[in-house]
Amino acid sequence: MADKEPQQPEELPIVLVHRLPSFKIPSDPSFRDQLRSQFHMLDPHESPEPYDSFLARHAPFIRVLMTIGPSPISAEFLERLPVLELIVATSAGLNHIDLPACWSRGIVVTNASLAFAEDVADCAVGLLIDVLRRISAADRFVRGRLWPVKENYPLGFKLGGKRVGIVGLGSIGSEVAKRLLAFGCTIAYTSRNKKQSVSFPFYANVRDLAANSDVLVLCCALTKETYHMINKDVMVALGKDGVIINVGRGSLINEKELVQCLVGGDMGGAGLDVYENEPNVPKELFGLDNVVLSPHCAVMTPESFEA
Amino acid sequence: MNNIGVLMTCPMSEYLENQLENRFNLFKLWNHSAPKPDFLKTHSSSIKAVVGNTKIGADANMIDSLPNLEIVASYSVGLDKIDLGKCKEKGIKVTNTPDVLTDDVADLGIGLALAVLRKICVCDRFVRSGNWINGDFALASKFSGKSVGIIGLGRIGSAIAKRAEAFKCFISYHSRSKKPNTNYKYYSNIVDLAADCQILFVACALTEETHHIINRKVIDALGPKGILINIGRGAHVDEPELVSALLEGRLGGAGLDVYENEPNVPEQLFSLENIVLVPHVGSDTEETSKAMADLVISNLEAHFKCKPLLTPVL
């Protein structure tokens, strides 16, 4: 951001940071600095004062609230902020916020959804290219000083022409589709409902999508219905050369069965940003060159948070 | 055609080797323990074709040692390892493998840029080391929307531009001359291009003019927040300058597929986290390797059957 004259804290717009104690503002120093240089951040959890009295004391001045992660906002909580006008959510989903209560108060709720969607889509595409073209494995090969010794490196697979099945064609899934079309992939999808305005082929269930795809990209929310939706059946349908990219939630996949398939050589590969029991990642995957592992950071860019 | 001698310069594709063995009398240069000049003298008169690649092509010495050489069919699109002047002088035909590898090289270019900016390889190392238990990974940098500069807007450069556009990147380029029919911004000066973009791709052919086209001036203009992606040739980049810029933090990062002295890579780079290093795999996919090999075979067969070459350079 441009160099600005540092303003007195009292003159800056006040933003309440609303978070469960376990969620933290991303620790990136430039992000924190930017927040602090432009806004007077009030964080009850960073104050020695008891939460209730801190909130009551500042409430008459709080017009903007920023939520960190899916920290819940209930109608009852909203009542404690009589002049609140704007809620900025830092997550893509909004189901932790009582939206009808906001709307009836005329409170605007916004999220960095598109910025997030772009970042997650970039991550998904990056993981897919890495798995097919073995970029991380090749980087290990070179840094391991193996190139002069082994001369040749195993071939990868072409991205163009691959049939990509997107699971969940929301904002993230749409951004993934846009990008992969430019690489010459064909797109099909499954979703709770067929999207009328979309021309990609629709499959009513994920197993049929898998049977007609070379790659599955998981971009949907985790719900009762989608829990473990990617199981051994689906992986078998996807085929021995199939690749799964997961930027949704770990529990979309039956992780035990995924590990079995990958270790057993029954799948082409996987690019994973999420896992069933983060930060624990099945160690059996560590020795595989056709797997790329990311520590749930699909959304972690400063530019995304600035949005 | 089984009595036609074809010389393959080095291992490049088992599939291609088999195909050549089935059709011609194949000589594999690397199998002969005698020094190359002696080997060439013994068999030279029967060799009518050379199949080379980016490692070993057909230089003046080789061409001079093969008096009956009629065609050089390169298993590559790049021609920098072939003495084109000599071939022209002697009426030797030259073919390469354009188009079939364009997508793969462009895919790799974008893949490297994503890997550098989003720290994909570093993340993977982080998870495999077991360190995620101890704390989250630091923020990476966004790829979408960044400004992209491309040196060389030929087949590969255009393919990179098309992909980057899907990420809403702003595209600029430098070329020998401005290209009609594009909306991308043209820069006649590479230093200016480097100063104005955040990700710079090298996608031009290697010629005398483009040798070390990425020099200290360009690197400094690209700057501490800039990323260099080289999917061209190692010699496009002044490698010692690149290494010192990376070590000193004057350049933000790099994704490299090619190096000045392959397979040797400057070891000082191995400890850096803002670079990704791959071993010249630009077109190394199952699908494309086969397509390239088929094209080499088709060109050779066309030549020896006196039919038009499919992808002639000369």
Side-chain angles (χ1 to χ4, degrees):
Chain A
M1 301 293 265
D3 296 302
K4 286 190 190 157
E5 287 294 311
Q7 291 175 267
Q8 294 305 313
E10 301 78 57
E11 294 167 9
L12 296 173
I14 292 173
V15 176
L16 176 70
V17 177
H18 175 70
R19 61 182 178 94
L20 294 175
S22 55
F23 292 121
K24 297 189 186 106
I25 300 182
S27 58
D28 179 65
S30 75
F31 177 68
R32 279 181 179 260
D33 288 343
Q34 276 169 35
L35 276 181
R36 291 207 174 111
S37 69
Q38 295 183 51
F39 306 104
H40 182 193
M41 307 301 292
L42 294 176
D43 189 343
H45 295 294
E46 278 184 15
S47 163
E49 190 178 348
Y51 182 91
D52 288 342
S53 78
F54 181 96
L55 195 66
R57 189 159 61 80
H58 290 283
F61 310 102
I62 294 172
R63 290 161 48 222
V64 178
L65 178 161
M66 178 174 108
T67 65
I68 305 293
S71 304
I73 294 184
S74 63
E76 180 246 340
F77 176 76
L78 289 173
E79 278 170 32
R80 300 164 78 175
L81 299 169
V83 300
L84 187 66
E85 295 171 12
L86 171 69
I87 296 176
V88 180
T90 57
S91 60
L94 291 175
N95 45 12
H96 51 285
I97 299 176
D98 188 334
L99 292 174
C102 293
W103 297 331
S104 68
R105 282 265 307 270
I107 296 170
V108 174
V109 182
T110 180
N111 65 12
S113 184
L114 180 60
F116 275 22
E118 288 175 341
D119 265 352
V120 180
D122 288 357
C123 178
V125 174
L127 286 173
L128 179 57
I129 301 179
D130 194 322
V131 172
L132 288 176
R133 300 298 300 274
R134 311 171 61 102
I135 295 180
S136 287
D139 182 79
R140 279 197 291 276
F141 177 79
V142 173
R143 285 178 203 249
R145 296 168 170 81
L146 292 172
W147 193 10
V149 176
K150 277 198 174 169
E151 290 263 345
N152 285 318
Y153 190 71
L155 296 173
F157 295 94
K158 189 179 165 106
L159 180 53
K162 290 283 177 294
R163 301 166 301 164
V164 173
I166 299 186
V167 181
L169 203 66
S171 54
I172 294 173
S174 305
E175 292 296 316
V176 171
K178 261 189 231 167
R179 284 151 177 72
L180 290 180
L181 283 172
F183 290 83
C185 297
T186 60
I187 307 288
Y189 72 104
T190 185
S191 210
R192 269 170 305 196
N193 305 300
K194 185 170 177 185
K195 314 244 170 202
Q196 292 312 325
S197 54
V198 159
S199 58
F200 305 135
F202 170 77
Y203 290 86
N205 67 69
V206 73
R207 207 197 150 282
D208 288 344
L209 179 67
N212 290 284
S213 300
D214 305 304
V215 175
L216 285 182
V217 183
L218 310 185
C219 305
C220 59
L222 179 63
T223 64
K224 276 197 302 239
E225 291 79 34
T226 62
Y227 177 82
H228 279 199
M229 80 189 305
I230 308 298
N231 54 26
K232 185 150 188 195
D233 265 348
V234 172
M235 294 180 226
V236 167
L238 190 59
K240 276 201 151 242
D241 291 331
V243 172
I244 294 183
I245 304 296
N246 191 3
V247 291
R249 284 289 178 269
S251 297
L252 291 171
I253 304 183
N254 181 325
E255 202 164 85
K256 260 209 187 107
E257 291 181 351
L258 176 72
V259 172
Q260 270 168 5
C261 277
L262 286 167
V263 169
D266 295 322
M267 261 184 70
L272 308 172
D273 185 50
V274 286
Y275 312 84
E276 288 216 77
N277 184 23
E278 296 168 18
N280 300 293
V281 176
K283 293 192 169 58
E284 300 92 314
L285 299 179
F286 292 175
L288 299 177
D289 273 354
N290 59 345
V291 172
V292 180
L293 304 165
S294 172
H296 201 157
C297 54
V299 166
M300 296 297 209
T301 68
E303 294 89 340
S304 221
F305 283 117
E306 278 167 35
Chain B
M1 286 190 272
N2 277 331
N3 54 349
I4 297 178
V6 172
L7 175 69
M8 201 175 186
T9 62
C10 60
M12 54 188 85
S13 156
E14 264 184 50
Y15 170 74
L16 179 56
E17 259 176 70
N18 293 335
Q19 294 294 313
L20 289 170
E21 263 165 344
N22 289 342
R23 291 168 168 72
F24 304 104
N25 185 14
L26 182 66
F27 296 93
K28 301 180 198 179
L29 190 58
W30 66 97
N31 273 348
H32 295 266
S33 51
K36 285 192 195 104
D38 291 348
F39 158 75
L40 289 175
K41 261 197 213 132
T42 317
H43 298 279
S44 59
S45 52
S46 63
I47 292 174
K48 293 193 175 173
V50 166
V51 173
N53 70 351
T54 57
K55 268 197 277 202
I56 305 178
D59 62 9
N61 278 341
M62 183 183 289
I63 295 170
D64 280 336
S65 334
L66 301 172
N68 295 323
L69 183 61
E70 295 173 10
I71 177 169
V72 175
S74 193
Y75 181 75
S76 72
V77 68
L79 299 164
D80 43 288
K81 286 277 163 50
I82 299 176
D83 191 328
L84 293 170
K86 198 113 229 204
C87 289
K88 201 166 187 186
E89 184 192 304
K90 294 194 154 195
I92 295 170
K93 307 258 178 59
V94 178
T95 66
N96 63 351
T97 59
D99 294 323
V100 292
L101 49 64
T102 299
D103 286 339
D104 270 358
V105 179
D107 291 351
L108 183 70
I110 300 287
L112 284 172
L114 280 164
V116 173
L117 282 165
R118 297 301 299 270
K119 297 192 155 83
I120 297 180
C121 307
V122 185
C123 276
D124 182 86
R125 279 200 287 277
F126 176 75
V127 174
R128 284 176 203 246
S129 70
N131 275 330
W132 193 12
I133 316 267
N134 300 326
D136 274 340
F137 192 74
L139 292 177
S141 190
K142 193 178 176 97
F143 176 77
S144 275
K146 286 247 158 40
S147 59
V148 161
I150 303 177
I151 300 180
L153 203 67
R155 286 172 288 251
I156 294 174
S158 302
I160 291 174
K162 179 177 172 203
R163 285 149 176 74
E165 276 187 305
F167 293 81
K168 297 210 195 104
C169 293
F170 179 77
I171 314 287
S172 313
Y173 72 101
H174 168 82
S175 210
R176 272 169 303 195
S177 56
K178 191 167 180 200
K179 306 267 173 191
N181 305 327
T182 84
N183 288 330
Y184 309 139
K185 185 172 181 194
Y186 174 70
Y187 281 78
S188 55
N189 179 312
I190 291 192
V191 175
D192 291 341
L193 175 65
D196 284 357
C197 71
Q198 293 162 298
I199 311 174
L200 185 62
F201 289 88
V202 180
C204 57
L206 181 65
T207 63
E208 269 168 27
E209 292 80 33
T210 62
H211 182 264
H212 281 197
I213 198 173
I214 307 294
N215 53 25
R216 189 181 176 113
K217 263 204 180 140
V218 173
I219 292 171
D220 282 343
L222 193 46
K225 293 216 154 85
I227 308 285
L228 177 73
I229 304 294
N230 191 2
I231 39 117
R233 285 289 179 266
H236 277 128
V237 175
D238 183 336
E239 203 161 88
E241 281 294 345
L242 175 68
V243 173
S244 64
L246 286 166
L247 292 173
E248 291 164 26
R250 284 182 288 114
L251 180 63
L256 307 173
D257 185 39
V258 286
Y259 313 84
E260 287 209 85
N261 184 22
E262 296 171 17
N264 300 297
V265 176
E267 300 214 340
Q268 309 100 301
L269 297 179
F270 291 170
S271 56
L272 296 178
E273 294 205 330
N274 56 343
I275 55 167
V276 175
L277 306 164
V278 294
H280 204 152
V281 292
S283 58
D284 285 6
T285 64
E286 300 268 346
E287 298 90 335
T288 296
S289 294
K290 182 172 182 297
M292 286 167 66
D294 286 341
L295 191 47
V296 167
I297 298 288
S298 300
N299 274 306
L300 288 174
E301 289 196 323
H303 170 75
F304 291 114
K305 288 180 180 166
C306 301
K307 296 214 172 108
L309 298 174
L310 282 79
T311 50
V313 174
L314 285 181

